[in-house]
């Protein structure tokens, strides 16, 4: 664990130092305003990009928008896993006065950005996977994660029904309001729609990077009879996958969250409940570059907006899950996509 912490700290220091050196006087946000076209965007990763699909998508989306826009460039700044340092790092980025926009993602960012904007009210923020409205320089977009988790829970319960025994679980990197108030209840709700009596074994890994710890946790759950596990623990997910593969008598199965994860370890990954954060990052960065991002607003997007879905058209899904289960899952998805099943933001 220490090794991971130290490595993260080094990467962080290096990236911040790079960020600090890269700034040239003539390239400040203030001078760019007079120089009209040039724009510099910072993507602040609260954690590390590698292994966390939600952050990888963020970077890809912003890079794509920037590549299509002349005179625009982007710097990726990793904040590392010490959450107590994030506000100070964001403050330093804002204080550098280099960036026209700071882009970031996760539910803790809006409050940090609000605090930074008190000191630097001219700094603009585009924050995904979080919510805050009414602050003039901050725009937020979050996903309907009740829908995202419901689709995972529904599949988990269908699989248990097919196996004839066993339970379902959820491993989260840490405990936070979006997890306890939306994702976990949504997962439970989806499972209960298939089998009212099914319980969810919910465990916290304690961080977003320690795969060995996550493997230990998952192995314990599997030993207790859990056969389908939803993993939302960033880089630590690989530990749960390993535990599922190594489990006796055919192994347990994993449902992936945020991106298409079937290829991570076929055929152990049996579902992918996704958010199209790359698309959101692209669209909203593009709007910013066109001067049209509605700062002060907080958007919520879901399945019918095209930002949340379950990946069904991957041949690895068909190879991992029986036709009978896929058919029932498809029937639920059709109801959700058509609007005949409506799941508001909170269960
Ligand atoms: N998700 C990740 O995949 N990797 C992370 O490093 C990560 N760090 C987080 C830190 C905080 C403080 C919070 C509140 C959430 C974090 N998440 C992380 C979860 C992420 O925001 C989102 O809820 C999940 O990816 C599910 O969509």
């Amino acid at each position: 664990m220490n090794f991971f912490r130290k490595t993260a700290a080094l990467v962080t220091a290096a990236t911040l130092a790079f960020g600090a050196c890269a700034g040239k006087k003539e390239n400040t946000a203030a001078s760019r305003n007079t120089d009209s076209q040039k724009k510099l965007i910072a993507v602040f990763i609260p954690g590390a990009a590698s292994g966390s699909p939600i952050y990888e998508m963020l970077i890809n989306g912003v890079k794509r928008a920037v590549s299509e826009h002349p005179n625009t460039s982007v710097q990726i700044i990793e904040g590392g896993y010490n959450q107590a340092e994030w506000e100070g790092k964001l403050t330093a980025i804002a204080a550098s006065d280099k960036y026209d926009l700071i882009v970031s993602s996760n539910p803790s960012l809006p409050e940090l950005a609000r605090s930074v904007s008190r000191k630097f009210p001219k700094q603009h923020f585009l924050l995904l996977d979080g919510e805050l409205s009414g602050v003039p320089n901050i725009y937020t977009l979050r996903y309907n994660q009740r829908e995202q988790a419901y689709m995972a829970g529904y599949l988990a319960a269908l699989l248990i029904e097919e196996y004839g025994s066993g339970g379902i679980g959820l491993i989260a990197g840490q405990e936070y309001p979006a997890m306890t108030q939306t994702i976990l209840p949504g997962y439970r709700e989806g499972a209960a729609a298939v089998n009212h009596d099914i319980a969810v074994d919910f465990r916290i890994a304690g961080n977003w990077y320690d795969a060995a710890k996550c493997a230990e946790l998952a192995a314990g759950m599997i030993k207790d009879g859990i056969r389908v596990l939803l993993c939302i623990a960033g880089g630590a997910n690989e530990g749960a996958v390993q535990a599922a593969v190594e489990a006796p008598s055919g192994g347990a199965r994993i449902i992936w969250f945020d991106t298409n994860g079937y290829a991570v370890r076929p055929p152990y990954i049996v579902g992918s409940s996704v958010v199209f954060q790359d698309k959101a990052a692209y669209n909203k960065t593009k709007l910013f570059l066109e001067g049209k991002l509605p700062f002060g607003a907080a958007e919520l997007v879901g399945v019918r907006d095209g930002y949340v879905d379950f990946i069904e058209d991957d041949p690895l899904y068909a190879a991992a899950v029986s036709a009978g289960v896929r058919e029932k899952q498809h029937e639920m998805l059709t109801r959700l996509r058509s609007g005949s099943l409506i799941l508001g933001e909170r269960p």
Side-chain angles (χ1 to χ4, degrees):
M1 192 195 291
N2 275 342
F3 167 76
F4 280 103
R5 268 193 200 287
K6 276 184 193 145
T7 310
L10 279 177
V11 170
T12 299
T15 44
L16 274 177
F18 165 72
C21 296
K24 292 200 182 93
K25 256 230 143 98
E26 66 273 18
N27 201 26
T28 64
S31 63
R32 268 194 318 285
N33 287 342
T34 51
D35 182 13
S36 72
Q37 308 298 351
K38 273 191 177 173
K39 290 231 171 354
L40 182 57
I41 295 177
V43 177
F44 178 76
I45 301 296
S50 170
S52 287
I54 197 141
Y55 297 154
E56 288 168 349
M57 286 190 281
L58 180 75
I59 294 171
N60 291 342
V62 176
K63 279 190 171 166
R64 200 177 130 218
V66 163
S67 74
E68 291 173 8
H69 212 88
N71 288 323
T72 305
S73 52
V74 56
Q75 281 178 8
I76 314 300
I77 301 170
E78 286 191 317
Y81 288 111
N82 186 345
Q83 297 177 10
E85 292 178 357
W86 291 349
E87 184 171 340
K89 287 177 177 172
L90 273 177
T91 305
I93 296 167
S96 75
D97 194 26
K98 280 170 51 188
Y99 303 97
D100 297 274
L101 181 70
I102 298 174
V103 185
S104 193
S105 159
N106 100 30
S108 73
L109 258 294
E111 277 313 318
L112 299 180
R114 191 212 291 266
S115 170
V116 172
S117 29
R118 285 197 188 106
K119 284 168 262 168
F120 300 97
K122 288 196 194 132
Q123 180 65 63
H124 286 79
F125 292 90
L126 188 179
L127 306 175
L128 303 181
D129 184 28
E131 180 182 23
L132 180 68
S133 61
V135 180
N137 284 348
I138 301 178
Y139 165 88
T140 65
L141 176 141
R142 85 193 149 101
Y143 307 98
N144 182 331
Q145 294 200 298
R146 179 183 176 195
E147 293 179 328
Q148 189 189 4
Y150 183 99
M151 298 185 290
Y154 200 90
L155 176 76
L158 285 176
L159 288 165
I160 295 300
E161 192 177 69
E162 182 178 64
Y163 300 157
S165 69
I168 68 173
L170 166 55
I171 295 183
Q174 74 184 79
E175 207 162 7
Y176 53 103
M179 176 55 65
T180 52
Q181 292 166 21
T182 306
I183 299 175
L184 175 60
Y187 184 61
R188 279 200 181 112
E189 187 186 18
V194 173
N195 172 0
H196 210 271
D197 297 326
I198 203 160
V200 174
D201 185 356
F202 175 57
R203 311 270 183 111
I204 311 287
N207 63 60
W208 300 93
Y209 53 84
D210 190 346
K213 190 171 172 207
C214 194
E216 209 179 291
L217 193 61
M221 293 167 83
I222 295 166
K223 207 163 156 240
D224 289 346
I226 297 304
R227 296 186 69 183
V228 182
L229 249 181
L230 171 62
C231 293
I232 310 180
N237 284 340
E238 67 180 80
V241 174
Q242 200 53 38
V245 172
E246 286 167 4
S249 63
R253 294 292 182 267
I254 302 286
I255 299 178
W256 209 249
F257 216 61
D258 294 339
T259 44
N260 181 342
Y262 297 112
V264 168
R265 192 68 193 247
Y268 291 90
I269 313 298
V270 287
S272 295
S273 265
V274 303
V275 289
F276 296 111
Q277 168 131 301
D278 40 359
K279 177 170 138 185
Y282 170 75
N283 285 341
K284 302 307 168 183
T285 304
K286 190 163 177 278
L287 271 189
F288 168 77
L289 292 170
E290 290 164 358
K292 296 185 202 153
L293 190 67
F295 286 104
E299 270 192 86
L300 170 72
V301 293
V303 169
R304 274 171 300 139
D305 306 297
Y307 283 101
V308 177
D309 214 335
F310 181 91
I311 307 291
E312 291 186 281
D313 61 0
D314 189 318
L316 292 173
Y317 172 57
V321 176
S322 73
V325 167
R326 281 184 285 122
E327 206 173 296
K328 288 180 188 161
Q329 179 77 355
H330 181 69
E331 185 273 329
M332 176 276 295
L333 294 172
T334 305
R335 282 188 286 129
L336 202 50
R337 289 172 188 148
S338 69
S340 74
L341 171 62
I342 292 181
L343 302 169
E345 52 186 307
R346 296 263 189 269

